[in-house]
Amino acid sequence: MDVKKPASQENLNGDESESQISHLALDIGGSLIKVVYFLRSNGSGGSVDDSGKKSDPVLEGRLHFAKFETSKINDCLEFIRSKNLHLAGGGAYKFADLIKEKLGVVLDKEDEMDCLVTGANFLLKAVHQEAFTYVDGQKEFVQIDQNDLYPYLLVNIGSGVSMIKVDGDGKFERISGTSVGGGTFWGLGRLLTNCKSFDELLELSHQGNNRVIDMLVGDIYGGSEYSKIGLTSTNIASSFGKAISDNKELKDYKPEDVARSLLRMISNNIGQISYLNALRFGLKRIFFAGFFIRGHAYTMDTISVAVSFWSKGDAKAMFLRHEGFLGALGAFVSYENHGLGGLKTHQSVQQFAVSKTYAGKKICCLVNEDLNDNESIDFGVAFAA
Ligand SMILES: Nc1ncnc2c1ncn2[C@@H]1O[C@H](COP(=O)(O)OP(=O)(O)OP(=O)(O)O)[C@@H](O)[C@H]1O
Ligand SMILES: CC(C)(CO)[C@@H](O)C(=O)NCCC(=O)O
């Protein structure tokens, strides 16, 4: 099972009985199921302002994130049942019948692309330090000016890849996509390396050297660059190209080198296609999301280099901290019974670190400062009930 127990859950284990589950959203993808749920903190739900007048009730609490492999949906359902989350809401297409049979609830279905965009806009507008660049091993957070966010290109790298031009809230067009995505990396990688888990494959790629298998420009040009067409000797001329001439079999290559070449090939390709699509529509900003990235340094580095290379330094790749949860988060915030039209700030949530405006209302976020673990992201939200 691939449940990375969110740190938030650990926090909550002790006081879960004091919390109430208010909302649940699911994103059931080709590879992973993403779960977002909101737990009300004790005592939230109504309030009195400074003057003693009763003000709009607010729901205070915390958003929690969890993910499961889609093939292990029963583990996910058990998780939902064990936490009584099925007594809340919904937002997913697949497995509706199974969920109805096992949990006795009917999910409200939301559109995948709508949810991705809603999730991205929500994160970019409401969450402090959400987007960052990754250049030369350095992560740098990007200040997002809410008045100058659009248009941008959202590249969601899941099993497959969707490229969406976003022009505003609910205003978008899926302009391109490619089937060579995260599922390709994991699927081909599993066959070629015998890795048993995605994390193992990612870890292997970390240790490998792609030059053993990739054919470089220098391999073709006797160690020289081909500067006339802008290629250095270390640029890859042909991914996996050395395998044709080495007279070797798969077993003669180290799995870590294979994993590295594969990761580089796929990341590079996505970076290139993304930039070309951004160019088609004159988009300066490209945000990459989806669980293929997993905050992995080499993946982000390769995508960043590809965008920078093809744009001749004009464009920069940006990544999102909540990378894989856009769809689930979008389903969560667009669920009509608690639409963000009802989000409000409230005095009792002044302890929250960041207060931003989303959909014309204030939302207060408490961002977990541990940026190393993408599974443990949580923040507090104040909802108007
Ligand atoms: N623990 C994991 N198990 C399987 N794949 C993982 C894991 N962690 C990261 N991945 C990668 O993330 C990809 C899935 O990403 P994501 O969950 O964003 O998309 P999805 O919703 O499953 O796909 P799609 O949107 O195309 O249906 C996998 O194909 C794989 O490359
Ligand atoms: C089919 C979806 C949208 C499902 O999430 C995704 O896997 C995807 O965008 N695949 C790429 C399909 C294509 O455009 O070639």
Side-chain angles (χ1 to χ4, degrees):
M1 187 169 73
D2 183 52
V3 190
K4 299 284 192 286
K5 204 174 176 197
S8 48
Q9 272 169 245
E10 276 146 31
N11 299 341
L12 286 158
N13 279 345
D15 56 19
E16 202 172 339
S17 56
E18 294 168 34
S19 305
Q20 285 177 290
I21 294 131
S22 296
H23 307 288
L24 161 76
L26 294 179
D27 172 4
I28 305 182
S31 308
L32 298 171
I33 302 175
K34 281 71 63 177
V35 182
V36 173
Y37 58 101
F38 179 74
L39 295 183
R40 285 168 64 169
S41 51
N42 203 14
S44 78
S47 57
V48 171
D49 67 17
D50 279 350
S51 63
K53 257 190 11 220
K54 209 162 185 275
S55 59
D56 284 340
V58 287
L59 291 180
E60 291 169 37
R62 186 163 281 195
L63 276 175
H64 297 265
F65 300 81
K67 67 175 163 60
F68 300 80
E69 287 175 24
T70 305
S71 58
K72 294 174 183 162
I73 184 161
N74 284 325
D75 291 339
C76 174
L77 298 183
E78 191 40 48
F79 173 81
I80 291 172
R81 189 207 303 280
S82 71
K83 297 206 159 287
N84 274 337
L85 301 179
H86 57 299
L87 305 176
Y93 269 96
K94 223 178 150 188
F95 299 115
D97 291 344
L98 182 69
I99 289 169
K100 191 172 172 208
E101 182 197 318
K102 296 248 175 176
L103 300 176
V105 293
V106 180
L107 294 178
D108 291 306
K109 295 171 185 174
E110 305 281 345
D111 177 78
E112 181 182 345
M113 297 296 131
D114 272 333
C115 288
L116 280 176
V117 171
T118 303
N121 283 344
F122 173 79
L123 289 168
L124 290 168
K125 288 181 180 178
V127 180
H128 183 54
Q129 296 200 324
E130 177 61 32
F132 60 91
T133 55
Y134 194 86
V135 178
D136 298 331
Q138 294 298 314
K139 186 182 230 175
E140 204 170 294
F141 286 102
V142 180
Q143 291 301 326
I144 304 287
D145 177 355
Q146 292 198 29
N147 300 316
D148 187 27
L149 173 61
Y150 308 112
Y152 68 83
L153 182 66
L154 174 63
V155 180
N156 193 62
I157 318 176
S159 311
V161 186
S162 283
M163 293 168 192
I164 308 166
K165 177 166 88 76
V166 182
D167 291 303
D169 279 329
K171 280 174 66 186
F172 64 88
E173 184 189 350
R174 185 181 186 276
I175 54 171
S176 195
T178 165
S179 61
V180 181
T184 319
F185 173 62
W186 179 205
L188 264 183
R190 213 176 126 260
L191 292 177
L192 294 173
T193 67
N194 281 323
C195 274
K196 296 289 172 259
S197 74
F198 182 85
D199 286 343
E200 196 185 330
L201 182 64
L202 212 52
E203 180 54 36
L204 261 190
S205 74
H206 195 66
Q207 300 156 17
N209 178 2
N210 70 296
R211 295 181 188 188
V212 176
I213 302 175
D214 290 343
M215 189 185 283
L216 307 186
V217 171
D219 294 325
I220 300 174
Y221 278 87
S224 309
E225 59 187 15
Y226 191 172
S227 53
K228 205 173 155 190
I229 58 167
L231 295 173
T232 68
S233 64
T234 55
N235 280 141
I236 299 173
S238 170
S239 290
F240 284 83
K242 270 195 187 137
I244 57 166
S245 54
D246 273 354
N247 217 3
K248 288 185 189 167
E249 311 227 342
L250 182 58
K251 64 175 169 35
D252 300 319
Y253 290 102
K254 288 189 194 160
E256 51 267 44
D257 296 338
V258 174
R260 183 89 165 191
S261 286
L262 192 58
L263 184 60
R264 185 124 189 213
M265 179 178 84
I266 289 167
S267 305
N268 221 350
N269 196 50
I270 294 170
Q272 177 176 8
I273 298 173
S274 302
Y275 173 67
L276 292 176
N277 274 293
L279 195 65
R280 263 174 82 202
F281 292 93
L283 307 172
K284 285 275 172 228
R285 273 162 296 205
I286 313 177
F287 294 101
F288 290 88
F291 263 130
F292 166 70
I293 301 170
R294 286 293 294 274
H296 188 61
Y298 191 64
T299 307
M300 295 192 295
D301 193 61
T302 306
I303 292 174
S304 298
V305 168
V307 168
S308 172
F309 178 85
W310 289 104
S311 69
K312 297 195 168 64
D314 230 26
K316 262 189 187 167
M318 286 178 274
F319 303 91
L320 300 179
R321 280 180 66 206
H322 295 75
E323 51 181 21
F325 287 107
L326 267 55
L329 207 43
F332 181 90
V333 296
S334 55
Y335 186 53
E336 47 177 31
N337 286 357
H338 65 95
L340 275 176
L343 272 180
K344 285 197 176 170
T345 190
H346 189 265
Q347 300 213 317
S348 61
V349 291
Q350 270 171 358
Q351 74 269 25
F352 290 124
V354 184
S355 172
K356 291 198 173 190
T357 305
Y358 182 79
K361 306 285 179 186
K362 284 260 185 174
I363 173 170
C364 300
C365 300
L366 178 65
V367 178
N368 185 335
E369 290 305 321
D370 176 9
L371 303 178
N372 298 320
D373 184 356
N374 278 305
E375 322 307 336
S376 66
I377 307 152
D378 58 344
F379 50 87
V381 195
F383 287 96

